[in-house]
């Protein structure tokens, strides 16, 4: 993977404190954050800009429960492209970006190529979304659907300092 040239050489405890504050409360004011972190608001803003340029901060989002908002169903879908090529994968990815009911998608390693989340008012509408993806993508694919019954944990409910601390203490296994 190519390394981003604007990536900070090192994340210090102040950067991690800024990221932790944003991770738990994206709408925190710069004044409140600077008080929590212990640096001036202008210095806090400079560090945030540097973290944005390094693409460590990718955006600021509200965690909206679409199922509760729109009273809809959610489906986790595993996709396996048949006759996989890089060009076919890029074309498939461009297509799925155009379908609004596909609210998230991740390329994964293993027996499947993608895991995506689809929202739909009915099971029939979900099937129409899959048919739309099939017809627009020009790719043949197999898929497995898992209807989501409840959300148990999302990334925004974690303790970022604890997560990073555990990751930085992990040592590669010696095989």
């Amino acid at each position: 993977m190519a390394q981003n040239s604007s990536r900070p050489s090192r994340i210090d405890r102040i950067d991690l404190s800024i990221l932790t504050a944003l991770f738990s409360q994206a709408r925190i004011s710069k004044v409140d954050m600077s008080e929590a972190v212990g640096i001036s608001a202008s210095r806090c803003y400079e560090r945030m800009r540097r973290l944005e340029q390094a693409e460590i901060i990718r955006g600021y989002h509200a965690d909206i429960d679409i199922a509760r908002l729109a009273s809809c169903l959610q489906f986790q879908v595993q996709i396996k492209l048949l006759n996989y090529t890089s060009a076919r994968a890029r074309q498939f990815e461009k297509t799925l970006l155009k379908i609004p009911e596909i609210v998230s998608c991740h390329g994964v390693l293993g027996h499947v190529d993608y895991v995506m989340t689809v929202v739909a008012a009915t099971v029939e509408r979900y099937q129409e979304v899959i048919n739309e993806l099939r017809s627009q993508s020009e790719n043949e694919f197999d898929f497995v659907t898992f209807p989501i019954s409840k959300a148990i944990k999302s990334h925004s409910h974690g303790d970022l300092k604890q997560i990073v601390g555990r990751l930085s203490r992990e040592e590669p296994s010696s095989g």
Side-chain angles (χ1 to χ4, degrees), residues 30-58:
K30 289 177 185 58
V31 171
D32 289 342
M33 185 184 306
S34 69
E35 288 174 10
V37 173
I39 61 175
S40 71
S42 62
R43 186 71 182 123
C44 194
Y45 178 75
E46 289 170 14
R47 283 178 172 256
M48 287 175 60
R49 292 293 303 152
R50 185 176 51 85
L51 292 165
E52 290 169 357
Q53 291 169 351
E55 297 178 354
I56 292 172
I57 298 175
R58 295 184 299 192

Side-chain angles (χ1 to χ4, degrees), residues 164-175:
V164 171
R166 286 184 180 211
L167 292 173
S168 64
R169 286 193 303 266
E170 290 180 4
E171 297 292 326
S173 60
S174 54

Side-chain angles (χ1 to χ4, degrees), residues 83-146:
N83 303 313
Y84 183 96
T85 66
S86 294
R88 287 183 176 158
R90 283 190 302 275
Q91 193 276 330
F92 180 80
E93 292 165 11
K94 286 180 184 176
T95 300
L96 71 84
L97 289 172
K98 298 175 187 174
I99 301 175
E101 291 93 344
I102 300 174
V103 294
S104 73
C105 183
H106 295 90
V108 297
L109 302 174
H111 293 97
V112 297
D113 300 307
Y114 300 97
V115 176
M116 63 185 190
T117 303
V118 178
V119 294
T122 64
V123 173
E124 292 79 12
R125 178 61 191 140
Y126 162 74
Q127 190 59 53
E128 290 172 6
V129 170
I130 294 299
N131 291 339
E132 182 179 345
L133 183 58
R134 279 192 190 279
S135 66
Q136 289 184 16
S137 74
E138 302 170 10
N139 280 292
E140 291 186 39
F141 59 85
D142 287 333
F143 67 99
V144 177
T145 303
F146 300 94

